[in-house]
Amino acid sequence: MAILKHKFFKPFKNWFILILTAFIIWMLFFDDNSWLIHHELNTDVEALENEKEYYKKEIEKDNKAIKKLSTPDGLEKFAREEYYMKRDNEEIYIIEYEDSLKTKKNE
């Protein structure tokens, strides 16, 4: 009982303070709406908002690509660059440089 006579434990002799302390600890850590759960949910919301911004930028980039492909010149340029298509009266030579080749060293 000598421990309870210490200066630090004096406020905890009051029942209201004991109940209030228990309530605060319960609300911060153990309740369904605790601070820990709110913190975790806020982190998730922030991550989802960052992901939302990323996808908005990707949508804008894709819309620009769609606009370029909607013109005949843009479509022809894309077909020539990506699928190596050509007109009937043309010859295409593909020149590959050593640093652009995929090898095990630079993959």
Side-chain angles (χ1 to χ4, degrees):
M1 287 310 230
I3 295 174
L4 292 178
K5 292 183 180 180
H6 194 273
K7 201 180 209 183
F8 176 74
F9 292 110
K10 189 174 183 180
F12 291 106
K13 289 182 181 180
N14 190 343
W15 283 102
F16 294 112
I17 301 232
L18 280 174
I19 292 172
L20 181 64
T21 305
F23 177 74
I24 289 173
I25 290 172
W26 178 265
M27 291 306 289
L28 284 177
F29 299 108
F30 301 116
D31 192 46
D32 288 338
N33 299 319
S34 70
W35 177 80
L36 296 173
I37 291 174
H38 275 284
H39 180 69
E40 183 180 328
L41 291 175
N42 286 339
T43 307
D44 291 346
V45 167
E46 187 175 315
L48 289 172
E49 285 176 354
N50 290 338
E51 191 174 337
K52 178 181 169 184
E53 289 299 318
Y54 168 76
Y55 285 123
K56 280 185 178 182
K57 289 177 185 175
E58 288 296 315
I59 288 172
E60 286 178 18
K61 196 165 60 170
D62 289 344
N63 283 337
K64 287 178 185 177
I66 288 171
K67 281 184 182 180
K68 285 182 183 177
L69 291 175
S70 64
T71 63
D73 293 335
L75 187 60
E76 182 179 350
K77 180 180 177 184
F78 180 77
R80 286 173 177 266
E81 290 176 357
E82 295 296 319
Y83 296 108
Y84 305 116
M85 292 183 169
K86 65 180 184 87
R87 292 185 181 152
D88 289 335
N89 58 356
E90 287 182 333
E91 292 291 327
I92 295 180
Y93 298 99
I94 300 172
I95 300 172
E96 292 182 346
Y97 295 102
E98 189 175 325
D99 60 346
S100 67
L101 294 174
K102 289 186 179 180
T103 61
K104 288 189 176 194
K105 192 183 273 186
N106 62 1
E107 281 184 4

